[in-house]
Amino acid sequence: MSSAERAEVVPARVFGEVAEVYDANRPGYADELVAEVLDYARLGGSSAVEFGAGTGKASTLFAARGVPLVCVEPDARMAEVLRRNTEGYGQVRVEVGGFEEWQPGGRSFGLLYAATAWHWFDPDRRWELVHERLRPGGAVALFWNPHGVLDEELFRRLGEIDRRHGVAGSPHGQLAHWYDGAPGTGSAADAENWPAAEAGRDGRFTDLRSHRFRRQVHYDTERYLGFLSSISTYRVLAPEAREAVMAETARLLDARGGGIDLLHVSDLFLARRR
C-alpha cells in the first residue's frame, strides 16, 4: 500500500467508524507539552493550523489557551465530534480535508502541528507542504503518545496473545523502561518515525528541539479495551478476529487485577522555518 493509499484508507475509513469510541478512550497530551510548544512558537496572536485533528484531543488544549486555530481533519465523522468538542471556542475553525489536498486559501500560519498523525502524511511531500503553509519564522510541532507496560510478566503474556492473533504495534507492545532514553527512542517504530533527521536534511528548518514528558496511567479493563478498539492495528482486523483478541485480552487483564498500568509518554519535536 502506498503512503497516499495508507493516508486515505486508515484515518478516513477506520478511525471514523469508531469516532465516539476514539474520543472517549484515546489519551490526551501533557499540559507541559502544550506549554512548551507555545513558548517555542511565540505566536503573538498569529494563527495555528492542526492536521489530522481527529476528535480534538490536542485541539481543545490549544483552544483553551486562546490560540486562533484551524483544525483540518480528513474524516467527516471525526470532524463532527471535533466540532462538538470545540464549539465553545469561537476562535476555532474546523475544515474537512487531507494534509496533502488541503488548500490554505492564501493563509499562512505561525504554528503548524500534528498530534499522532505525521506518520500518515506523504513522506515525499510533507516537509514541502509544511514550508509552504508556515510564515517565515513559523514553528512546526510534531508529537506522539507511545506507551510502555510497567509489569514485565503482563507484557510477555499480552505479547503472546497479540502474536496468536496477528496483532502488531499495540500500545502494550513496549516495556516502560524502553523509554528511559531520549525522545524518539523506545521501539523500532518510534525511531523510524522520529522526524529530526528528515528536518535536518531538508535544510529549510532550524532550531530543532526534542522533548519527552512521562507520567504513569492506569486503565481498567473496559477502558483499555475501548482504547485498543480505536487503534488502527485492531480496526483493520476482520470483526471475528478483533472480537477474539479483545476477549482474550480482557480475560487476562481481569485475571490480573482488572486493568493495566502504563507509562504514558509524550514525545515532542520542534523546528522553525528559516
Side-chain angles (χ1 to χ4, degrees):
M1 182 181 292
S2 70
S3 59
E5 290 170 331
R6 184 173 67 248
E8 174 185 356
V9 171
V10 178
R13 300 182 190 173
V14 177
F15 296 145
E17 66 190 16
V18 288
E20 296 289 352
V21 173
Y22 186 107
D23 188 53
N25 295 287
R26 277 291 182 107
Y29 297 90
D31 289 337
E32 303 97 308
L33 181 150
V34 177
E36 191 71 42
V37 171
L38 294 179
D39 182 63
Y40 177 89
R42 303 192 299 270
L43 285 173
S46 295
S47 296
V49 60
E50 176 185 10
F51 289 96
T55 63
K57 289 294 181 178
S59 319
T60 53
L61 299 177
F62 284 88
R65 291 172 177 260
V67 176
L69 181 59
V70 178
C71 301
V72 184
E73 164 54 40
D75 186 273
R77 296 162 295 183
M78 299 285 276
E80 182 179 352
V81 180
L82 173 60
R83 287 192 180 95
R84 185 185 71 210
N85 288 338
T86 57
E87 63 184 358
Y89 303 103
Q91 82 281 18
V92 175
R93 177 185 178 94
V94 176
E95 301 183 9
V96 177
F99 174 76
E100 292 81 6
E101 298 78 24
W102 180 80
Q103 296 297 318
R107 295 169 290 183
S108 63
F109 299 90
L111 169 65
L112 182 154
Y113 72 90
T116 316
W118 180 252
H119 51 289
W120 296 122
F121 305 156
D122 185 348
D124 295 328
R125 300 181 59 202
R126 53 195 180 189
W127 286 105
E128 177 66 35
L129 291 171
V130 167
H131 187 267
E132 288 178 4
R133 293 161 180 176
L134 282 177
R135 61 172 173 76
V140 54
L142 310 172
F143 43 99
W144 289 263
N145 270 348
H147 294 76
V149 181
L150 292 162
D151 182 331
E152 294 199 17
E153 174 64 15
L154 182 57
F155 165 78
R156 183 186 65 78
R157 294 182 62 182
L158 285 168
E160 291 171 353
I161 293 172
D162 288 351
R163 286 187 290 275
R164 279 198 296 274
H165 294 278
V167 172
S170 74
H172 51 255
Q174 296 78 234
L175 281 165
H177 71 77
W178 295 4
Y179 291 95
D180 290 343
T185 61
S187 70
D190 297 324
E192 179 184 353
N193 289 317
W194 195 245
E198 274 188 13
R201 287 193 300 269
D202 184 279
R204 292 174 293 182
F205 297 87
T206 187
D207 194 14
L208 312 185
R209 304 185 192 180
S210 298
H211 301 274
R212 170 165 280 177
F213 306 89
R214 301 176 179 88
R215 61 186 172 94
Q216 291 187 17
V217 295
H218 176 79
Y219 289 85
D220 63 31
T221 300
E222 182 178 3
R223 183 168 175 238
Y224 192 62
L225 294 182
F227 178 24
L228 295 184
S229 70
S230 75
I231 302 293
S232 60
T233 192
Y234 290 87
R235 299 310 313 162
V236 298
L237 294 173
E240 60 275 12
R242 184 165 60 246
E243 182 178 343
V245 69
M246 291 291 189
E248 197 170 344
T249 300
R251 286 194 295 271
L252 175 59
L253 295 184
D254 283 342
R256 294 183 64 87
I260 184 171
D261 293 306
L262 297 172
L263 176 70
H264 177 281
V265 178
S266 291
D267 273 356
L268 167 66
F269 174 77
L270 296 165
R272 193 179 308 282
R273 176 180 161 174
R274 291 186 185 275

